[in-house]
Amino acid sequence: MNCALGHPHQAFGPDFPYQHGLRCARLPSPPYHFMTRVLNVDGEFLKAKSGASVEVAYDFKGDEWYFEQNPAGTMPIAVLMEVALQPCGWLATYSGLPGLKGRELLFRNLDGKAQMLKEVLPIDKSITTKATMLSFSKMSNMIITKFKVSCLVDGSEVYSMDTAFGFFPEEAMAAQKGLPVLEKERELRHKPAAKLQTLAELSSKVAGPKLAMIDAVEHYDEAGGSHGKGYIRAVKSVKPSDWFFKAHFFQDPVQPGSLGIEAMVQAMKSFLVLRCDLPENGNFEALALNEDLSWRYRGQVTPDISEVHAEFDVSHLEQDNGRYFAKGSARLWIGDRKIYEAPEISMAYVSRELTPERHYPLNQWVEAKPGALKLKPIYEQMGQTKTVVQQNIYDVFAALTR
């Protein structure tokens, strides 16, 4: 936690090159801090070297705000991304990449490619992340470093990622002009806004109010977009008082890029709600499993920004036996400036009958004494997340009727 809010010498010791009065790279603070324990470090302190690595545990109780705010009851993709990204920031700082005293550099994620392999459930309790520094390069007053990351639950990989970060002076961040904009993208961005449908009016399955990174859908066309498969654009008002500015980062308030991806994901969920007749007995995956996610960031949402737009341009849409799947590209805009893009991103809505891995296995609650059932934890779990009630009932009856 000292890496987020405390004195850097308390985090890394008195030899860490920190100069009083200057900002240094920070981890996010609660409620967006997702590192609990550093398990192992393979690398020298303040001596950056390719191949250095760190293993970090993130422990959770299962009743965290983000489980409650995600109607599916699983870990949202924004949180899982942060679980993977934050150890990279810790390792980069531990390795001494920010440099010498007297230089104030800000740390930002730039791009990445990942796959979500399994959903993370409240009962998983802990994620172990290994981040390996693949390379780093220094150019004048900027530093670029790349990482390979793997997140595991009970030894099984749930998320894999390759990503790049940079250390930059504040003036370089302020001067960002955004990503190149294709003419078709510009045309879509300027499609006229129709009657707004707020997220609350649209669906209760997209996100709770704290997790919500879009306020309303302002344009929807089921046959629009670059491929004629569909297009949606959503809008969000940004306020200096938004909770994520305080959490990310201390003395350097900026919206996490992962919450920009979350905004895109929520626009994708909204598209499937409007486009498909989704069965009530189902859930959105945090991100479509085993599909590529890629992203690039070339701008930032700061407290002086008043509004952002998230859009999803559909390239592929299918329905197969209770699974509703959409794939395409997504973007986040400040005015006419495209600051984030996800060239590859997918979402799936799956009927509950097709997702047995979401069920809470009854054998986790079986007492050592044969035939005795430890029922209290079942009721506790049923009370935590409404969306898992039917799943628990299913498990109980499945076990009793075997």
Side-chain angles (χ1 to χ4, degrees), residues 321-390:
N321 192 30
R323 185 173 189 265
Y324 302 78
F325 174 81
K327 182 176 183 178
S329 58
R331 297 171 283 274
L332 193 81
W333 300 79
I334 298 174
D336 289 337
R337 191 158 46 99
K338 182 175 67 170
I339 62 165
Y340 302 167
E341 70 175 358
E344 301 172 285
I345 191 166
S346 304
M347 176 50 59
Y349 183 91
V350 186
S351 64
R352 195 167 291 131
E353 288 79 3
L354 298 182
T355 56
E357 70 276 5
R358 292 174 182 261
H359 296 154
Y360 290 75
L362 187 65
N363 60 14
Q364 293 197 24
W365 315 119
V366 175
E367 294 276 21
K369 183 179 178 181
L373 298 180
K374 189 177 179 182
L375 293 176
K376 185 178 178 182
I378 294 180
Y379 289 111
E380 291 175 348
Q381 288 291 334
M382 290 173 71
Q384 283 179 10
T385 311
K386 294 180 180 179
T387 55
V388 303
V389 171
Q390 292 177 317

Side-chain angles (χ1 to χ4, degrees), residues 3 23 76 88 90 93 97 112 116 118 123 164 168 172 176 204 222 229-230 243 279 298 305 310 335 355 365 402:
C3 295
R23 292 176 296 175
C88 301
W90 187 93
T93 303
L97 282 182
M116 181 175 171
K118 293 182 180 179
I123 61 167
F168 303 97
Q176 291 182 100
S204 62
E222 68 176 32
K229 300 290 182 67
W243 65 266
R298 295 297 185 272
I305 301 300
T355 56
W365 315 119
R402 285 193 182 109

